[in-house]
Amino acid sequence: MTIRDNELISDQTKLVHEMEINDTFKFLETKITGLPEQDIDILREKYGWNEIQTQDRRSRAKMFSEQFLNPITYVLLAAGILSLLVGKLTNFIVIVAIVLINGIIGFIQEVKAENALDSLKSMTAPEATILRDCGNVLHCTQYRIKAREIVPGDIIYLEAGDKIPADARLFEVANLQVDEALLTGESLPVRKITTPVLSGASVADRKNLVFSGTTVVSGRGKAIVYAIGMKTQVGKIAELINQTKEMKSPLEKRVSSLSKKLGVIAFFASALTFILGIIRGFDILDMLIFASATLVSSIPSGLPATITITLAIGVSRMVKRNAIIRKLNAIDSLGAVTTIVSDKTGTLTQNQMTVKHIFVDNTDIEVGGVGYIPIGDFTVDGEIISITQHSTLPLILQNMALSNDAILRQHELENDEFVWEIVGDPTEGALLVAALKAQFNKLELMGEYPRIDEIPFESANKYMLTIHKNDANSLLIVKGAPEVIMQVSKSITVDGQKIAFDDKLKDQIEQKAEYYASEGYRVLGIAYHEESNSNITTDDLKAKFESRELEMIFMGLIAIIDPPREEVKEAILRAHNAGIKVIMATGDHKLTASSIGKDIGILTTEFTAMDGKEIDSTSESEFIEKLDTNRVFARVSPEHKYRIVNGLKSKGEIVAMTGDGANDAPALKTADVGVAMGITGTDVTKDAASMILTDDNFASIVNAVEEGRVVYENIKKGVKFLLTTNMGEVITILVSMLLINSEALIFTPIMILWVNLVTDGSLTVALAAEPRENDVMLRPPKKPEDSLIDRSIIANILLVASVMAAGVIFIFNVYSKDDSIVRKETLSFTVLAVLQIFNAIASRSNRESIFKIGFRNNRMILFGLIASFGLQILAVHLSFFNLILETTPLLFIDWVVILGIGSTILIVEEVRKYFLRRKEKLVLMK
Ligand code: ATP
């Protein structure tokens, strides 16, 4: 290797952008067919991974020490020091132990959350298309790798929507335009070239280079990588924006503000406890410790951790169901989604395209065969025909193969069987397979008619043009939406004759195209032009084509079937049952879209379909109205999609929208949940999206909505449990201060801390793992303004708190009225702990009977309950704990009474849930 200092920018005489292409290849020691596989490891060793190192993370030690920098720890430590002052050494030790345990638990939770985020990041890591180790360029297949694996010398392929993975020198471009605002601040896309640029050019003027982190706006290109990782322009200024970093959901923010408010309430409640204690004549220092313990246990300190863990569990459940969350706030919105706007191809349909009909020479030719296997007959009215019988059929098949970027290849499975697969756009793959059924092989044809230029397909244009060299002539082939191809065609070939494409013939073709579309086929038109003037440049040819000056000859129509995904019909029904509208927004023809829409249950009789042209001619207010009744939007451009999302949002809808093309990014960003396709989606859409589907499947969106709802429900359960227990404790303490006339407090401070530690921790976290309830997708979406703590929760908190207070006071004041203080305190302490345990059981569902839910489906809660109960038994019966907690062993009958009192909470909750269910049923019946 001639390269020095990891910088592959200059060969000491010229910079990369000043070199001729051949010199660049030589300098970078690579070939158009890519680097040999055996060089990769050596190059990696030398240049490292293609990564931008972001700022150093917080060290683990710092993360651990930060666990102790919060008001709760300060209060606890203050209580500990006070205990020391009054000579209670055990109290001090226990408090310090509690602080340590809390810190360790917090640290573990934070590490877990960070690891979860890291694995999410690697799942959404950018990829790149490269060419490596390829002997013969005609038989090469490009493949996708993780962008970090790129090494200098790699050949990269770029197309619209790609994020450029490294700094590279271009050697082939087709209308390539790149948005370099990230580097240069220039908002207009830069049109790229391949010729050398003069020395002295600034970065912005080095138009034959592409830079890592910038994005391809349109066109296509091929380039040789010369700088990776920190050696790239963006690496040098260390400015790569690490999107997946901003991972704090609004829900978390709302909860932390809620925690602060509850903290204030807790502070006043414990201050009141303190004052009441002093009035009742207790010692000031004792009361300070007691009030501190009350404060610590009444602050719902477990709340933020509960939210994080519930979200993390939700995220991992979604991954299992093929949805990767990129921005945590998406989970919050997912639970509230009221409308899903989905594109058709690949999301609602299988994207397994097969050409079924070719309409040429006024004849409908049926194409036989299944899937991508290139075997099938061509028949007319059931009779097999020979290809050469028809004058235009061979021409159309040849051009279908030539104007094509897909690759058909055989792929070996583990069981040694071979399957045919398509690399690239499935629409083009279908054309390739059909052509090969008649022995028209793209690779051979490309040798005969090499491609010299092109206008790549873009959904806004709906056509693709390729220009090929054919001896001294040029061959132009255009294929795309029939109406577009018909518009550019001046003549048509019929039975080998070129005739004028008059209105009558156009009508005929149009009717046929509409017929195919109404049967659910995706229809393409195809036309060609042979240019004998060898002086004309390809740029001129393209310009003439665009201004419709070229004499394009229409050849025929191609009807492609793309069946709906099997699971989609049911998914749409589930969405409808969950009160969610499903809208299709597709680039395909209105009739094709409507036919599929009817098939899968989106377009029922009461709803309508409209296309892009109709949208354009509708006023904004009319359009907003139409959004209520229109379920299929066809021939839409990315701008239409943007208009649809905005319209729906202005009506208060919470919108999930899918997208795959680069131009869909604005619509995805605007949607409440932008959904990108993992397989067919571009980097730009993935960047803009808050969720990525790994299987491109509509059903996965509905599943993600379901998981979003479960997350919200579980957070609500956790919040309700924490608040009922914390408030229950405070209310019990306050009421006992007012009502009980005893020379002792109802619990010791350490008992209060124990209950808090035992219940708050294991049980709340276990609620986060609750499985979904059966009817979660049978209820309407939650309203965005719905608060985590609504009136019904407040009423519920008061109800549960009263039951707790009554239970504790009963055992202290009635059951053990004349017993020793230690026994009385042990009893009330144990009743409180057991009440919390039963409360956790009751909190597992807000409306469903616990006897219906069972315990087998949440092992964490079962474990939590057994652990809490077991620890409580130890607290009472182990002499070590008797010493520390100042408890005394209880009798068997005591336990029976305690369990009886504890279960009252379950009974009260079951009655409440019964009435709630009855009320909901009545509302439904009305
Ligand atoms: P969506 O994914 O949004 O449901 P779509 O994939 O059907 O839509 P586009 O990809 O925008 O929509 O395609 C619109 C039209 O362009 C198609 O109906 C077809 O006629 C034509 N078309 C699609 N792919 C190609 C291609 N590779 N070359 C030429 N024309 C194409």
Side-chain angles (χ1 to χ4, degrees):
M1 292 248 139
T2 50
I3 304 140
R4 305 133 288 111
D5 191 25
N6 289 5
E7 294 264 10
L8 302 171
I9 295 173
S10 154
D11 66 358
Q12 278 182 336
T13 56
K14 278 183 177 164
L15 291 165
V16 175
H17 62 272
E18 298 161 9
M19 295 176 194
E20 288 295 337
I21 286 172
N22 283 342
D23 296 336
T24 320
F25 274 111
K26 261 189 235 148
F27 165 57
L28 290 165
E29 297 189 351
T30 185
K31 285 190 296 192
I32 197 163
T33 49
L35 290 168
E37 203 58 60
Q38 69 264 24
D39 281 7
I40 305 301
D41 284 344
I42 305 168
L43 288 163
R44 169 107 13 87
E45 179 101 337
K46 185 157 185 173
Y47 299 108
W49 296 96
N50 180 28
E51 281 172 333
I52 305 286
Q53 277 117 40
T54 41
Q55 298 112 334
D56 277 344
R57 293 158 162 249
R58 261 187 319 155
S59 71
R60 289 280 141 102
K62 187 154 186 256
M63 205 191 257
F64 185 69
S65 61
E66 276 175 11
Q67 304 300 324
F68 302 97
L69 306 178
N70 60 57
I72 298 215
T73 314
Y74 306 149
V75 174
L76 272 174
L77 289 178
I81 293 166
L82 285 174
S83 306
L84 258 191
L85 288 181
V86 293
K88 292 195 169 174
L89 184 66
T90 31
N91 271 14
F92 173 74
I93 295 171
V94 173
I95 288 175
V96 171
I98 286 175
V99 168
L100 271 179
I101 293 171
N102 261 335
I104 292 170
I105 293 176
F107 173 69
I108 294 173
Q109 275 165 357
E110 213 169 297
V111 171
K112 268 193 185 163
E114 202 182 77
N115 289 346
L117 290 190
D118 277 353
S119 64
L120 270 187
K121 257 194 226 166
S122 73
M123 268 187 256
T124 55
E127 293 185 342
T129 307
I130 62 153
L131 195 69
R132 265 188 200 161
D133 210 14
C134 176
N136 175 347
V137 77
L138 280 183
H139 294 90
C140 282
T141 309
Q142 65 264 42
Y143 56 97
R144 303 277 291 168
I145 58 164
K146 292 262 180 257
R148 75 185 287 266
E149 294 168 17
I150 285 179
V151 292
D154 263 333
I155 304 296
I156 51 171
Y157 282 40
L158 303 168
E159 59 179 25
D162 281 351
K163 195 175 208 169
I164 291 160
D167 288 3
R169 165 70 202 269
L170 289 158
F171 62 90
E172 204 179 301
V173 290
N175 192 28
L176 183 71
Q177 297 199 46
V178 178
D179 176 356
E180 294 185 342
L182 171 76
L183 277 181
T184 60
E186 170 59 57
S187 59
L188 286 179
V190 184
R191 185 175 277 272
K192 292 291 177 179
I193 55 172
T194 55
T195 44
V197 171
L198 291 181
S199 64
S202 66
V203 169
D205 291 332
R206 297 175 186 179
K207 293 198 172 152
N208 55 7
L209 301 183
V210 281
F211 302 104
S212 175
T214 58
T215 49
V216 181
V217 178
S218 65
R220 229 189 274 277
K222 293 178 188 169
I224 326 159
V225 173
Y226 66 85
I228 59 167
M230 296 308 282
K231 296 291 169 194
T232 59
Q233 285 296 326
V234 86
K236 279 187 192 156
I237 49 174
E239 213 186 28
L240 193 69
I241 308 141
N242 202 345
Q243 294 238 2
T244 28
K245 263 194 136 179
E246 31 132 314
M247 289 287 245
K248 193 142 187 119
S249 88
L251 194 64
E252 283 177 296
K253 286 186 203 143
R254 248 192 290 159
V255 168
S256 62
S257 92
L258 172 74
S259 300
K260 279 188 197 129
K261 282 184 205 146
L262 292 171
V264 174
I265 297 177
F267 178 78
F268 281 109
S270 15
L272 197 58
T273 319
F274 178 74
I275 294 166
L276 287 174
I278 300 296
I279 293 172
R280 291 221 1 231
F282 289 106
D283 180 70
I284 291 194
L285 275 183
D286 281 347
M287 265 331 285
L288 266 179
I289 301 170
F290 187 79
S292 309
T294 313
L295 178 59
V296 168
S297 55
S298 55
I299 293 174
S301 54
L303 212 48
T306 310
I307 309 295
T308 313
I309 291 170
T310 318
L311 288 173
I313 292 178
V315 165
S316 74
R317 282 182 183 166
M318 287 184 197
V319 168
K320 283 188 198 127
R321 300 179 87 182
N322 301 319
I324 300 176
I325 297 295
R326 286 192 70 249
K327 296 173 188 156
L328 279 186
N329 58 1
I331 304 189
D332 196 11
S333 314
L334 266 173
V337 161
T338 58
T339 306
I340 303 174
V341 184
S342 169
D343 42 31
K344 172 183 71 72
T345 310
T347 317
L348 295 166
T349 65
Q350 297 179 7
N351 223 2
Q352 290 269 328
M353 309 238 184
T354 318
V355 174
K356 285 284 172 194
H357 297 267
I358 299 178
F359 188 68
V360 278
D361 297 340
N362 232 338
T363 317
D364 186 342
I365 299 169
E366 267 189 69
V367 185
V370 282
Y372 294 143
I373 306 166
I375 302 171
D377 293 325
F378 291 72
T379 55
V380 174
D381 297 329
E383 299 259 325
I384 297 180
I385 57 157
S386 125
I387 307 298
T388 44
Q389 254 178 345
H390 276 264
S391 36
T392 319
L393 187 57
L395 188 66
I396 203 172
L397 288 166
Q398 170 197 298
N399 289 348
M400 273 157 61
L402 276 173
S403 178
N404 204 311
D405 287 310
I407 289 163
L408 176 68
R409 68 174 179 196
Q410 275 196 306
H411 174 67
E412 191 176 355
L413 296 178
E414 274 173 11
N415 58 3
D416 294 340
E417 266 182 39
F418 282 92
V419 287
W420 289 93
E421 67 172 19
I422 292 291
V423 183
D425 178 358
T427 304
E428 299 195 348
L431 304 186
L432 216 55
V433 174
L436 203 54
K437 282 175 183 169
Q439 315 307 322
F440 286 96
N441 185 327
K442 175 183 165 184
L443 297 176
E444 284 163 16
L445 288 168
M446 289 285 265
E448 226 174 299
Y449 302 88
R451 191 190 296 184
I452 49 171
D453 209 343
E454 66 192 61
I455 301 177
F457 175 77
E458 264 167 44
S459 56
N461 295 337
K462 299 192 168 47
Y463 70 80
M464 163 174 170
L465 173 84
T466 53
I467 307 177
H468 306 258
K469 194 110 212 97
N470 177 16
D471 299 329
N473 296 349
S474 305
L475 169 67
L476 281 86
I477 310 167
V478 63
K479 67 180 199 313
E483 63 272 25
V484 178
I485 304 304
M486 277 158 65
Q487 251 170 23
V488 298
S489 303
K490 296 216 165 87
S491 35
I492 177 169
T493 62
V494 181
D495 297 330
Q497 301 291 316
K498 190 177 89 175
I499 53 174
F501 203 10
D502 60 19
D503 288 348
K504 198 168 150 236
L505 282 168
K506 280 192 175 164
D507 267 359
Q508 254 179 26
I509 299 283
E510 203 175 294
Q511 274 177 25
K512 195 70 192 174
E514 288 194 355
Y515 166 74
Y516 285 141
S518 64
E519 294 284 299
Y521 291 105
R522 180 182 184 82
V523 195
L524 254 66
I526 181 161
Y528 78 104
H529 168 83
E530 255 177 311
E531 180 60 55
S532 49
N533 179 355
S534 54
N535 293 327
I536 188 163
T537 65
T538 56
D539 278 343
D540 287 343
L541 279 173
K542 286 195 284 188
K544 278 181 124 187
F545 169 80
E546 276 165 349
S547 58
R548 299 202 195 152
E549 286 167 58
L550 279 188
E551 181 80 13
M552 299 301 296
I553 308 166
F554 193 85
M555 283 179 281
L557 296 171
I558 305 150
I560 303 172
I561 192 128
D562 179 19
R565 286 177 181 270
E566 275 168 23
E567 58 281 36
V568 146
K569 214 170 174 169
E570 197 223 315
I572 288 170
L573 191 68
R574 284 177 59 220
H576 287 163
N577 286 339
I580 299 167
K581 268 195 256 172
V582 181
I583 293 177
M584 181 200 288
T586 173
D588 226 330
H589 194 279
K590 183 167 147 185
L591 292 171
T592 313
S594 301
S595 164
I596 306 260
K598 279 181 198 148
D599 206 15
I600 56 180
I602 288 184
L603 194 62
T604 44
T605 44
E606 66 269 42
F607 298 117
T608 53
M610 70 195 291
D611 64 20
K613 269 197 203 135
E614 289 166 302
I615 300 178
D616 290 337
S617 61
T618 314
S619 72
E620 193 55 30
S621 56
E622 253 179 284
F623 177 67
I624 302 274
E625 239 171 74
K626 280 261 180 197
L627 287 170
D628 285 331
T629 51
N630 200 79
R631 288 288 190 271
V632 170
F633 292 94
R635 285 284 189 250
V636 288
S637 65
E639 291 80 55
H640 292 132
K641 281 189 165 184
Y642 185 68
R643 220 175 132 188
I644 295 170
V645 185
N646 269 326
L648 286 166
K649 283 185 77 169
S650 73
K651 293 170 83 77
E653 304 271 352
I654 306 291
V655 188
M657 170 167 254
T658 70
D660 44 17
N663 302 340
D664 288 338
L668 292 200
K669 271 198 179 138
T670 312
D672 298 279
V673 184
V675 185
M677 298 300 137
I679 304 170
T680 55
T682 55
D683 296 338
V684 175
T685 29
K686 285 182 194 165
D687 261 4
S690 39
M691 182 167 99
I692 299 176
L693 301 181
T694 53
D695 61 351
D696 289 14
N697 189 344
F698 175 83
S700 303
I701 307 175
V702 180
N703 292 341
V705 167
E706 181 173 59
E707 293 298 346
R709 288 185 174 197
V710 175
V711 165
Y712 187 74
E713 290 277 307
N714 286 359
I715 286 180
K716 245 184 145 166
K717 287 173 195 173
V719 167
K720 187 203 129 185
F721 172 68
L722 269 179
L723 293 195
T724 45
T725 52
N726 290 326
M727 289 300 138
E729 280 167 37
V730 178
I731 290 174
T732 309
I733 292 169
L734 279 176
V735 173
S736 71
M737 282 286 186
L738 287 171
L739 297 186
I740 299 174
N741 197 8
S742 145
E743 71 274 25
L745 289 162
I746 194 161
F747 316 111
T748 67
I750 296 297
M751 286 174 180
I752 299 178
L753 294 177
W754 170 274
V755 171
N756 189 44
L757 190 73
V758 170
T759 50
D760 262 22
S762 52
L763 294 175
T764 330
V765 170
L767 284 174
E770 274 299 304
R772 61 175 169 273
E773 292 180 29
N774 288 339
D775 61 346
V776 69
M777 288 300 269
L778 295 174
R779 297 179 216 145
K782 79 172 166 83
K783 298 195 181 69
E785 65 274 13
D786 273 0
S787 153
L788 273 174
I789 304 186
D790 53 18
R791 251 191 281 155
S792 71
I793 283 223
I794 294 176
N796 192 214
I797 290 170
L798 292 179
L799 178 74
V800 172
S802 323
V803 176
M804 281 187 182
V808 175
I809 291 166
F810 168 79
I811 205 127
F812 193 88
N813 232 16
V814 181
Y815 180 75
S816 59
K817 195 162 183 284
D818 302 318
D819 296 350
S820 71
I821 298 277
V822 182
R823 189 172 138 75
K824 282 169 79 143
E825 281 183 344
T826 308
L827 277 166
S828 56
F829 160 54
T830 308
V831 160
L832 184 69
V834 172
L835 276 162
Q836 314 277 44
I837 292 172
F838 277 102
N839 186 30
I841 301 176
S843 300
R844 293 189 56 208
S845 171
N846 192 31
R847 51 168 68 68
E848 200 51 78
S849 162
I850 192 65
F851 299 103
K852 213 169 155 191
I853 300 179
F855 283 93
R856 260 181 290 169
N857 48 14
N858 184 355
R859 258 187 278 158
M860 245 166 108
I861 195 106
L862 198 60
F863 179 76
L865 291 171
I866 294 171
S868 303
F869 195 64
L871 282 167
Q872 191 58 32
I873 293 177
L874 294 182
V876 172
H877 292 283
L878 211 66
S879 44
F880 170 70
F881 282 121
N882 289 155
L883 200 72
I884 291 179
L885 296 167
E886 295 171 40
T887 51
T888 179
L890 295 175
L891 306 171
F892 179 71
I893 182 72
D894 295 335
W895 279 105
V896 174
V897 173
I898 286 167
L899 286 174
I901 295 176
S903 59
T904 51
I905 223 155
L906 204 57
I907 298 164
V908 170
E909 276 288 88
E910 283 293 319
V911 173
R912 180 190 66 79
K913 288 178 194 173
Y914 170 76
F915 282 110
L916 179 72
R917 287 198 300 273
R918 227 176 71 150
K919 195 172 127 200
E920 281 180 349
K921 219 185 241 165
L922 285 180
V923 172
L924 269 183
M925 269 158 48
K926 268 185 204 161

